[in-house]
């Protein structure tokens, strides 16, 4: 199974929660979160990061 990881740059407010929760898949650059990889094959912490984002900027699917 392939999962796409995306961060909506227009929504992200740079709170950093995703990078703290799931550093292997989210990194901060210039005050916004970015997916480390566009796709992953196994979900570990990514769903936690998705549900933890205060502005729903993350999609994992
Ligand atoms: Fe941005 Fe949400 Fe992460 S606001 S820094 S995508 S937790």
């Amino acid at each position: 199974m392939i999962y796409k990881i995306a961060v909506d740059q227009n929504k992200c407010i740079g709170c950093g929660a995703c990078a703290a929760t799931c550093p292997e898949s989210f990194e901060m650059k210039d005050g916004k979160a970015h997916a480390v990889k566009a796709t992953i094959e196994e979900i570990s912490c990514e769903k936690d990061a998705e549900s933890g984002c205060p502005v729903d900027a993350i999609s994992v699917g």
Side-chain angles (χ1 to χ4, degrees):
M1 186 82 184
I2 301 281
Y3 300 90
K4 282 179 130 182
I5 310 285
V7 179
D8 185 332
Q9 299 297 309
N10 293 319
K11 285 189 184 174
C12 176
I13 55 169
C15 80
C18 55
T21 302
C22 196
E24 63 255 55
S25 283
F26 300 94
E27 60 189 358
M28 303 303 293
K29 269 187 218 158
D30 299 326
K32 302 259 180 173
H34 297 265
V36 173
K37 291 191 281 181
T39 59
I40 56 171
E41 289 181 12
E42 246 178 69
I43 297 280
S44 55
C45 49
E46 291 77 11
K47 283 283 180 189
D48 294 334
E50 181 185 35
S51 61
C53 177
V55 293
D56 282 332
I58 297 173
S59 62
V60 178

